[in-house]
Amino acid sequence: MAMIAKKCPQYQVKIVDINVARINAWNSDNLPIYEPGLKEIVESVKGKNLFFETDIETNIKEADIIFVSVNTPTKTFGFGAGKASDLQYIEKTARSILAASNSGKIVVEKSTLPVRTAESMERILNSNNKGLHFDVVSNPEFLAEGSAIADLENPDRVLIGGHQTEEGLAAVEEIAKIYANWVPREKIITTNLWSSELSKLTANAFLAQRISSINSLSALCEKTGANIDEIANAIGKDTRIGAKFLKASIGFGGSCFKKDILNLVYLCEHYGLPEVAAYWESIIKINEWQTTRSVKRVLRSLFNTITGKKIAVFGFAFKADTNDTRESPAHLVVRELLEERAIPIITDYKALPDAKRDLSDVLDKVQLIEEPYEAAKNAHAILLCTEWQQYAALDWQRIYDSMSKPALVFDGRNILDGEKLKKIGFDFIGIGKA
Ligand code: UGA
């Protein structure tokens, strides 16, 4: 919304949320999320044509277009628990929009949703006796955290789906007009509603599948002496495969991939396609296996016992350039270290407050230290879990000198120079490297 406000001064953008503390944070100098470049954009438009407000009713009433961006977490109860999306916030939002409206509006689904959600929204919105008509349009978001601003400035595509009726097509065009202020028309794709909804889940499933594929082969590399980075480079040169999203890692994390694939699995089961469901579910299974087997490799190198040993975890965010820790592989690593009764010392450039929240039940058993040199002191091993580029630039000799010997580095992101570390004296384990 900040990008829309910046690119389209002719629109007034109002952001509302039931969480007052969150809105207050957006109105302060301390934005509630870290995202490179976001603060500058928000500051350039805040109070001009971008406003963060708590009066939801009035803002619904006054809006012509409403983007619905409420969360759709995985259901934890009842039918579909553990896989299906919990749509209660979407439904509540549709009902609040209807209750507050006295004119028809375009309602845009921005949240990631199961296919055919728009049908339910439409039924709720159009089952009114006020004589109002609402058009529901799907406009999924493809930005990735950490590179959100660049992704929004210059998207590969913008996708807008609507009903193929006169009214539906007009609503799609109204949304396309917003993006056309900065995105070339040929990059704005319009489709039917269901294709747009399902494209979002499919895009994330395909991206996650690439990581699980390369990660599964990283295990074969470790057995054979092949090097996974060399393989990724060699196969990525084939333009049909392409070089992006082929970096072997300790596993993918984030709020999107696992949730969205589970949602896809649930949809396949729901539509009687168990083989398709099992295929996509295996992408998740390989991902969890990749993290767990990494911890086992570390354990073997530390003489099969880490009880009472300090183990430094470098990075807790699910990837670099964000403070987001949702589904972070580092979280699973820390839990497994605790199972083995090790003492995890966690460091991160932006994510320590979130780590503190995630680990609130075990805060007496872990340490959170911002300074990586401090975190490594007297540790038996360093487990690098997040690809913060700053880690590659540390003074590794200084780190080695302060650690217990033999000192191990496990590079769960393949960003360090293993040969250099071995020369210093470290034992070194990389992903997909014998
Ligand atoms: C992902 C998609 O990339 C976005 O296109 C999508 O819009 C977003 O989900 C969403 O649904 O909202 P995001 O979760 O922010 O974006 O982060 P990614 O950059 O996709 O990274 C996901 C995980 O995969 C991270 O843990 C990352 O470290 C890992 N990864 C990524 C690898 O292990 N190897 C790679 O080559 C790339």
Side-chain angles (χ1 to χ4, degrees):
M1 289 304 112
M3 186 60 77
I4 289 178
K6 182 169 168 177
K7 299 291 187 183
C8 315
Q10 70 275 34
Y11 290 92
Q12 291 276 312
V13 182
K14 303 280 192 84
I15 305 205
V16 294
D17 201 295
I18 50 172
N19 185 338
V20 176
R22 196 86 175 161
I23 292 292
N24 290 344
W26 282 105
N27 276 323
S28 76
D29 286 335
N30 233 337
L31 301 191
I33 57 172
Y34 172 70
E35 182 65 48
L38 176 64
K39 198 165 191 273
E40 290 74 7
I41 294 211
V42 170
E43 275 167 8
S44 73
V45 283
K46 196 154 67 176
K48 291 191 184 132
N49 65 334
L50 178 73
F51 304 89
F52 296 92
E53 299 186 357
T54 49
D55 184 349
I56 300 178
E57 222 181 294
T58 308
N59 279 302
I60 289 177
K61 215 168 257 145
E62 291 175 355
D64 299 305
I65 301 172
I66 298 178
F67 285 80
V68 177
S69 319
V70 298
N71 55 336
T72 52
T74 304
K75 251 184 113 175
T76 52
F77 53 87
F79 289 117
K83 283 186 188 145
S85 285
D86 184 347
L87 296 176
Q88 60 168 312
Y89 307 107
I90 285 283
E91 181 175 337
K92 280 182 187 144
T93 305
R95 292 186 191 279
S96 336
I97 291 175
L98 180 58
S101 294
N102 46 25
S103 58
K105 299 169 196 306
I106 299 175
V107 175
V108 186
E109 298 176 337
K110 199 56 162 157
S111 315
T112 301
L113 294 164
V115 60
R116 296 200 80 91
T117 305
E119 201 172 22
S120 335
M121 284 200 95
E122 270 170 345
R123 278 203 52 203
I124 294 170
L125 289 167
N126 288 325
S127 68
N128 65 77
N129 49 16
K130 299 181 183 178
L132 303 180
H133 173 77
F134 293 86
D135 288 296
V136 177
V137 169
S138 158
N139 171 220
E141 187 50 63
F142 294 104
L143 69 79
E145 291 175 36
S147 56
I149 300 302
D151 296 345
L152 288 168
E153 285 260 17
N154 190 16
D156 286 341
R157 77 323 210 165
V158 167
L159 179 58
I160 308 170
H163 285 307
Q164 303 300 294
T165 58
E166 204 180 310
E167 280 167 330
L169 292 170
V172 166
E173 178 50 30
E174 201 57 49
I175 305 306
K177 248 170 52 191
I178 300 177
Y179 290 100
N181 282 287
W182 78 97
V183 179
R185 272 280 175 173
E186 63 276 13
K187 286 191 174 180
I188 303 178
I189 307 172
T190 58
T191 65
N192 84 32
L193 249 174
W194 320 129
S195 307
S196 172
E197 286 180 337
L198 191 52
S199 291
K200 170 65 204 217
L201 291 184
T202 308
N204 274 357
F206 268 67
L207 289 171
Q209 176 230 53
R210 285 171 71 88
I211 304 172
S212 275
S213 296
I214 200 82
N215 283 350
S216 71
L217 291 166
S218 72
L220 186 58
C221 288
E222 288 154 23
K223 299 259 188 246
T224 56
N227 177 317
I228 199 68
D229 286 338
E230 291 176 353
I231 292 182
N233 183 43
I235 65 162
K237 290 279 190 270
D238 187 327
T239 51
R240 292 164 302 173
I241 296 175
K244 291 179 185 165
F245 248 73
L246 273 181
K247 185 83 183 155
S249 67
I250 188 169
F252 60 74
S255 63
C256 306
F257 285 171
K258 185 175 174 188
K259 171 177 87 85
D260 292 354
I261 295 178
L262 287 172
N263 191 347
L264 194 61
V265 168
Y266 181 73
L267 282 165
C268 294
E269 285 170 354
H270 173 82
Y271 286 105
L273 301 168
E275 292 82 0
V276 187
Y279 172 75
W280 287 107
E281 198 164 18
S282 71
I283 307 304
I284 307 270
K285 285 191 184 142
I286 289 285
N287 193 49
E288 281 160 11
W289 166 83
Q290 178 76 352
T291 310
T292 304
R293 81 177 188 87
S294 298
V295 177
K296 285 187 187 148
R297 282 178 83 201
V298 168
L299 187 61
R300 278 197 297 276
S301 297
L302 294 171
F303 317 108
N304 284 311
T305 172
I306 50 174
T307 307
K309 289 181 184 168
K310 283 191 173 175
I311 310 285
V313 176
F314 275 30
F316 198 80
F318 82 98
K319 64 174 188 178
D321 295 318
T322 177
N323 63 329
D324 194 341
T325 62
R326 287 176 289 175
E327 300 294 341
S328 172
H331 192 174
L332 181 54
V333 166
V334 168
R335 296 281 165 183
E336 291 187 343
L337 293 176
L338 288 171
E339 282 289 312
E340 292 295 326
R341 307 203 177 152
I343 306 167
I345 319 286
I346 300 155
T347 178
D348 192 286
Y349 291 103
K350 294 282 174 193
L352 285 191
D354 289 55
K356 195 171 171 192
R357 180 201 60 209
D358 297 347
L359 299 168
S360 56
D361 56 321
V362 288
L363 278 182
D364 54 329
K365 299 188 180 74
V366 302
Q367 290 176 41
L368 306 174
I369 297 180
E370 200 163 319
E371 166 64 49
Y373 293 107
E374 279 302 308
K377 236 180 225 170
N378 300 320
H380 289 257
I382 291 172
L383 277 50
L384 190 152
C385 294
T386 308
E387 66 273 39
W388 288 105
Q389 290 304 317
Q390 291 95 313
Y391 292 141
L394 292 173
D395 178 350
W396 283 91
Q397 181 68 54
R398 176 177 161 197
I399 290 178
Y400 180 76
D401 292 341
S402 75
M403 287 176 68
S404 288
K405 309 293 176 324
L408 172 73
V409 171
F410 165 74
D411 182 2
R413 294 292 185 166
N414 284 351
I415 59 166
L416 302 176
D417 182 344
E419 292 313 311
K420 200 178 106 192
L421 293 182
K422 282 184 203 162
K423 269 194 204 122
I424 292 177
F426 282 107
D427 291 336
F428 179 81
I429 308 178
I431 297 274
K433 291 171 186 169

